[in-house]
Amino acid sequence: MAAPVTSAALAEGSEAALKAALADVPELARLLEIDPYLKPYAVDFQRRYKKFSQILNSIGENEGGIDKFSRGYESFGVHKCADGGLYCKEWAPGAEGVFLTGDFNGWNPFSYPYKKLDYGKWELYIPPKQNKSVLVPHGSKLKVVITSKSGEILYRISPWAKYVVREADNVNYDWIHWDPEHLYKFKHSRPKKPRSLRIYESHVGISSHEGKVASYKHFTCNVLPRIKDLGYNCIQLMAIMEHAYYASFGYQITSFFAASSRYGTPEELKELVDTAHSMGIIVLLDVVHSHASKNSADGLNMFDGTDSCYFHSGPRGTHDLWDSRLFAYSSWEVLRFLLSNIRWWLEEYRFDGFRFDGVTSMLYHHHGMGQGFSGDYSEYFGLQVDEDALTYLMLANHLTHTLYPDSITIAEDVSGMPALCSPISQGGGGFDYRLAMAIPDKWIQLLKEFKDEDWNMGNIVYTLTNRRYLEKCIAYAESHDQALVGDKTLAFWLMDAEMYTNMSVLTPFTPVIDRGIQLHKMIRLITHGLGGEGYLNFMGNEFGHPEWLDFPRKGNNESYHYARRQFHLTDDDLLRYKFLNNFDRDMNRLEERFGWLSAPQAHVSEKHEGNKIIAFERAGLLFIFNFHPSKSYTDYRIGTALPGKFKIVLDSDAAEYGGHQRLDHSTDFFSEAFEHNGRPCSLLVYIPSRVALILQNVDPPN
C-alpha cells in the first residue's frame, strides 16, 4: 500500500510546478505579481505558452517561418504567372479529383485537372496561349470542380477567392476572377497608434438614409467626414468579409478573402481605408474566425465533399445556436488559411487591426452557451477551455503585432477570461483590448427595470470600474447588438414613441423628451470617462438615432426601412437630435485634449445614494454627475486632489446640448485645503438635477 501523500509533499510539488512554469514562460512572474490569485493556474499558462511556442517553432521548421506560412494567398487560389500562364492550388484532402472550369474553357468540367500533391493539396499549371493573350480575363467566372469519394460532382468557389458576386435573382454567389488592369495605389501612410481609442462602429451597407444598400464610395464621401468631425480616431468596420445572407449582419461568412461586393469593388474599399488614413483615422476590421456559414455552394462548408475539410467533423463541428460550422484550429492547413486571412486584410487593404468576433465561443468547448460566468477562476481553466482555439488566437495576435507593431486587436469576450489581454510573453492571449460587455447590459437593465430615483450609484460605479488591472477595456453604452430588432437603442428606451412627435425645437420640452436627452448625454459621458481605456459608439447612436435596426428579410417583406441611418436628422436645425450630436462631438474633442482614456483608472471620491451624485477624478479633470431626477444642489462639497482655481470645460446643461442653461460658465470654483471624502482638498459647486459637469484646474502647475 502506497504511503499517504502529505500536505507538505503536495506543497513541495506545487512549488516545483510553479518554478518550472516560471522558467518556461518568460514573463509569467509579472502576471502573477499583478494577480497573485492566478498562481494555482501557473501550469495552465505554462501549457498554453508551450503549445504556442511549439506550433510557432514547427511552422519555422516546416514552412520557413510564420512570415512565409501566412502568405498562403500568394499560392493558393488562382494566380497569373509572369509567363502569362496560370497557377492554381487548393487544399481538398477528401477529394477524389479536382478540376478548374469557367468561362475560359466553355465550362468543360474536366478539361483542366489538378495534380495531387502530399497532405491533401492539389495544383494545376495552365501554360500561356500561343498568342500570349490573357488566359482567364479579369471579370470572368470560375469554379473549382470536386469529384468526391462517393462519386458526386461538386461545383465550388475556391476558399481563397478574392471577389464573389451575386447576380440578379441568383440564389448563390459567383466567383469572379479579380485581376484589374489598374489596381488602387495607396497614397497615405498608416496613422500612428492613437494614445486613446475612440471607436466609431460602422456598417457600410446601412450608412445611407435611403432605403438601399449603401456603397463604399458613399461611406467614403459622406460618412468619413462626419466621423472625423465627431472626434473619433478609429473606425471598426463590420460586415466586410463576404456573407451571402445580408441579414446576418456580416457574421455568417461565406468567402473569407473577399470584400463584400454588395457595396462595390475591392479597389473602392481600399480607397475608403486610404481616405480614413488621410484624416488620421485608423480602421479595424470586424474579423469573424469563430465560425463560418453552412453554405456549401458558395461557402467553405463541404468544400471537398466531406464535413471535415476546415471544420471539425460531426457534432463538434457545428454551433447549435448559430447554425454554423466550427473550425478545427488544430489543423495545419486551417492555421495556414486563418493566419493568411489575417495577413491578407492587413497587407492588401491596409487595415490597422481587428475586432475578433465571438471569442467566447472560441475559448470554450461549451461556447459560452448556458454559462453565467460568475468570475470564479476555475471557469477559465481546465478541460472546458479549447486550447487549440486559444493557441490560434495567440498566433493571430503574434502575427498581427509582429507585422505591424502599431496594430490593435480587440477581443469580444463576455466571459472575462484572465490574461486574455496580457502579453503572450506572460502566458496571456496577446490582445490589446477587450470589450466591456457588462456596461451596455447595465444601462439597459436600469432603464427597463428601475425608476430613476432607484438607480444605485454604487452599482453603476462598480460596473464601470470592474475590470482587470492592466488589461485594457473598450467601454460602450451601446453597440450594434442593442440596436438590433427585438431590442432598443438607449434613445428609444428613454423616449420611445415621443421621438416621432416631440423632437422639434419649435415645441416645448415634454417630460419624456427632457429626461431622455439629459440622461442620454450623462450615460455616454460617465461611460466614456469611467468605463475603460477606449470608447465605442455604434453609428447613429451618438445623436439618438430613432428606431431599431432590421435588415431586409422575408419576415419584413424584404424592407430596407430599418436598414439605414438617418444622418439627415442631425443636420436639421429644427430637430433636437443636433443637441446630442454636438455633445458627443465635444466630449470626444475634450478627451483628445486631456487623454482620460489613456490615463490611469479614475479615483472615485463620491457615490452618494440619497443625493444620486457620482464624482471622480481622471487625467487631472473633475467629473461630477447628478442623476437625481428633480433635486439640484447649491454649495455641494466635492473632494479633489488639487488646490486652486477650477473652470467648467464641459456642461451637459449648456444650450448647444439641449440643456436648461442653469450654470454660469464664467464662474470660478476655488478648492481649499479642506479634506472631504478622502481627498486633501474640496470645493463647493452648484450641481443642477440630471446634469454632468467636467471641471478643470486652471492654475499653472508649481
Side-chain angles (χ1 to χ4, degrees):
M1 188 173 133
V5 180
T6 65
S7 56
L10 278 172
E12 201 175 303
S14 61
E15 277 303 313
L18 177 61
K19 204 172 175 184
L22 288 166
D24 283 338
V25 186
E27 294 173 25
L28 179 61
R30 175 69 181 131
L31 179 69
L32 302 184
E33 178 194 332
I34 295 162
D35 185 355
Y37 290 106
L38 287 173
K39 263 186 189 167
Y41 305 101
V43 289
D44 293 86
F45 289 111
Q46 176 191 28
R47 187 178 60 254
R48 292 169 183 182
Y49 183 80
K50 280 176 88 170
K51 189 169 189 170
F52 160 78
S53 298
Q54 281 160 1
I55 293 175
L56 202 56
N57 291 337
S58 189
I59 288 170
E61 288 161 18
N62 298 294
E63 299 279 352
I66 197 165
D67 182 62
K68 206 170 161 191
F69 186 62
S70 60
R71 294 175 186 268
Y73 52 82
E74 290 180 0
S75 57
F76 285 85
V78 172
H79 301 273
K80 189 168 69 183
C81 305
D83 65 359
L86 211 64
Y87 179 75
C88 316
K89 191 176 180 181
E90 295 297 343
W91 177 60
E96 193 62 40
V98 179
F99 308 84
L100 188 71
T101 188
D103 292 336
F104 78 103
N105 72 343
W107 291 97
N108 180 331
F110 305 122
S111 61
Y112 286 103
Y114 285 63
K115 187 176 78 180
K116 191 171 188 178
L117 307 173
D118 291 338
Y119 308 113
K121 291 173 198 163
W122 301 77
E123 72 173 2
L124 164 67
Y125 172 69
I126 306 175
K129 289 181 181 177
Q130 307 268 241
N131 64 0
K132 297 290 183 205
S133 66
V134 180
L135 248 172
V136 177
H138 166 66
S140 59
K141 293 178 185 173
L142 293 169
K143 276 272 165 61
V144 174
V145 178
I146 305 274
T147 53
S148 73
K149 296 264 198 294
S150 61
E152 282 180 287
I153 298 168
L154 308 166
Y155 283 79
R156 295 288 189 249
I157 290 176
S158 167
W160 304 82
K162 311 292 192 299
Y163 189 60
V164 295
V165 169
R166 178 154 52 197
E167 291 183 343
D169 295 327
N170 288 3
V171 174
N172 296 320
Y173 273 73
D174 288 312
W175 171 21
I176 306 290
H177 184 57
W178 190 257
D179 186 22
E181 198 180 332
H182 303 292
L183 288 165
Y184 182 81
K185 287 188 171 60
F186 286 91
K187 304 174 189 72
H188 306 282
S189 55
R190 298 168 185 265
K192 283 195 167 67
K193 186 178 186 171
R195 59 173 189 160
S196 296
L197 205 55
R198 300 182 301 276
I199 304 170
Y200 198 79
E201 187 185 28
S202 304
H203 184 294
V204 170
I206 65 165
S207 64
S208 163
H209 70 272
E210 297 175 76
K212 64 176 188 182
V213 178
S215 65
Y216 294 126
K217 280 270 188 205
H218 169 86
F219 193 93
T220 303
C221 298
N222 298 288
V223 185
L224 283 182
R226 287 185 184 275
I227 296 170
K228 174 70 178 166
D229 179 63
L230 281 164
Y232 290 93
N233 56 15
C234 173
I235 297 166
Q236 184 178 295
L237 273 186
M238 315 169 59
I240 293 297
M241 300 164 79
E242 191 59 272
H243 47 294
Y245 185 43
Y246 189 42
S248 75
F249 224 144
Y251 291 120
Q252 294 272 354
I253 306 299
T254 40
S255 289
F256 283 74
F257 286 83
S260 183
S261 60
R262 54 170 62 84
Y263 320 126
T265 67
E267 309 317 299
E268 287 164 350
L269 173 58
K270 291 172 192 174
E271 184 187 25
L272 187 163
V273 175
D274 198 25
T275 308
H277 286 170
S278 76
M279 297 173 168
I281 298 170
I282 64 168
V283 189
L284 306 181
L285 176 74
D286 198 343
V287 74
V288 188
H289 283 179
S290 45
H291 64 132
S293 165
K294 263 190 172 171
N295 290 19
S296 52
D298 53 8
L300 274 189
N301 192 21
M302 307 287 288
F303 174 67
D304 65 354
T306 72
D307 76 339
S308 59
C309 185
Y310 291 100
F311 309 107
H312 291 293
S313 184
R316 192 183 169 192
T318 303
H319 196 295
D320 294 334
L321 209 62
W322 296 342
D323 193 34
S324 52
R325 297 303 316 273
L326 297 169
F327 287 106
Y329 299 104
S330 56
S331 158
W332 194 257
E333 292 305 322
V334 170
L335 285 179
R336 185 198 309 277
F337 180 77
L338 294 175
L339 291 171
S340 297
N341 192 234
I342 289 289
R343 186 173 195 145
W344 169 253
W345 294 106
L346 289 170
E347 302 270 17
E348 183 72 11
Y349 291 94
R350 297 214 182 164
F351 279 96
D352 302 288
F354 304 96
R355 176 250 197 205
F356 279 78
D357 179 68
V359 168
T360 308
S361 174
M362 296 172 75
L363 290 174
Y364 307 97
H365 292 295
H366 54 60
H367 308 302
M369 292 190 284
Q371 302 294 315
F373 292 112
S374 66
D376 188 298
Y377 277 11
S378 62
E379 295 170 333
Y380 308 117
F381 302 95
L383 295 176
Q384 68 267 36
V385 177
D386 186 341
E387 294 197 347
D388 292 330
L390 179 53
T391 305
Y392 161 67
L393 289 170
M394 292 166 78
L395 288 163
N397 278 312
H398 169 77
L399 174 68
T400 304
H401 292 115
T402 302
L403 288 173
Y404 297 100
D406 267 3
S407 56
I408 289 168
T409 59
I410 302 170
E412 188 218 20
D413 170 43
V414 76
S415 77
M417 177 179 269
L420 189 63
C421 302
S422 298
I424 293 168
S425 55
Q426 294 179 8
F431 284 98
D432 294 296
Y433 296 87
R434 59 156 43 96
L435 290 174
M437 298 180 76
I439 296 175
D441 293 345
K442 174 52 63 183
W443 291 123
I444 294 292
Q445 182 202 23
L446 287 172
L447 293 173
K448 271 169 82 170
E449 299 174 17
F450 294 91
K451 291 186 198 154
D452 296 8
E453 55 267 32
D454 294 333
W455 285 19
N456 184 307
M457 299 297 107
N459 190 244
I460 290 171
V461 169
Y462 173 77
T463 304
L464 288 167
T465 56
N466 179 28
R467 52 190 186 271
R468 295 185 55 76
Y469 180 55
L470 295 184
E471 289 192 50
K472 292 189 284 192
C473 278
I474 304 290
Y476 57 107
E478 53 187 337
S479 71
H480 70 269
D481 288 323
Q482 285 72 37
L484 281 172
V485 65
D487 207 335
K488 291 198 271 195
T489 61
L490 287 180
F492 222 52
W493 277 114
L494 286 161
M495 297 178 274
D496 219 341
E498 285 205 25
M499 294 188 83
Y500 298 117
T501 52
N502 297 332
M503 286 299 270
S504 167
V505 296
L506 302 176
T507 60
F509 259 144
T510 65
V512 168
I513 296 294
D514 187 12
R515 169 183 180 261
I517 281 180
Q518 310 319 330
L519 285 178
H520 195 271
K521 294 176 290 189
M522 293 180 73
I523 286 169
R524 283 180 138 58
L525 181 59
I526 198 168
T527 302
H528 206 308
L530 195 55
E533 290 71 37
Y535 177 77
L536 176 142
N537 166 67
F538 178 63
M539 64 186 314
N541 287 353
E542 70 278 2
F543 65 83
H545 196 286
E547 303 173 335
W548 51 88
L549 199 54
D550 193 13
F551 288 88
R553 54 189 173 85
K554 278 182 188 161
N556 64 13
N557 295 323
E558 304 295 335
S559 167
Y560 281 88
H561 181 74
Y562 296 109
R564 60 196 181 117
R565 297 276 96 178
Q566 300 177 60
F567 287 112
H568 61 288
L569 294 175
T570 191
D571 299 333
D572 190 332
D573 245 4
L574 295 177
L575 293 177
R576 292 189 164 112
Y577 295 102
K578 64 179 182 182
F579 298 139
L580 300 178
N581 198 72
N582 292 344
F583 185 77
D584 201 74
R585 179 198 64 215
D586 291 353
M587 171 175 74
N588 283 323
R589 289 180 180 178
L590 195 65
E591 197 290 323
E592 176 64 25
R593 267 177 65 201
F594 291 98
W596 62 69
L597 289 168
S598 54
Q601 205 163 324
H603 184 283
V604 181
S605 62
E606 181 158 351
K607 36 192 178 179
H608 197 294
E609 297 306 339
N611 295 342
K612 301 296 174 209
I613 299 279
I614 293 172
F616 60 86
E617 290 161 288
R618 193 174 185 189
L621 296 173
L622 180 56
F623 293 73
I624 309 166
F625 295 81
N626 179 3
F627 279 100
H628 203 286
S630 58
K631 277 189 190 167
S632 299
Y633 304 101
T634 46
D635 290 342
Y636 195 92
R637 191 169 288 282
I638 298 285
T640 174
L642 298 169
K645 184 164 85 171
F646 285 74
K647 297 287 278 184
I648 295 171
V649 286
L650 189 66
D651 163 22
S652 71
D653 206 37
E656 61 266 37
Y657 312 138
H660 297 286
Q661 306 169 62
R662 288 167 286 183
L663 287 152
D664 179 357
H665 287 209
S666 64
T667 306
D668 296 332
F669 301 90
F670 292 93
S671 74
E672 51 189 335
F674 187 96
E675 197 267 346
H676 183 70
N677 284 341
R679 304 309 270 161
C681 303
S682 60
L683 46 79
L684 299 174
V685 293
Y686 169 48
I687 175 82
S689 62
R690 286 201 184 119
V691 164
L693 279 182
I694 302 181
L695 304 183
Q696 179 201 1
N697 186 307
V698 292
D699 278 355
N702 294 330

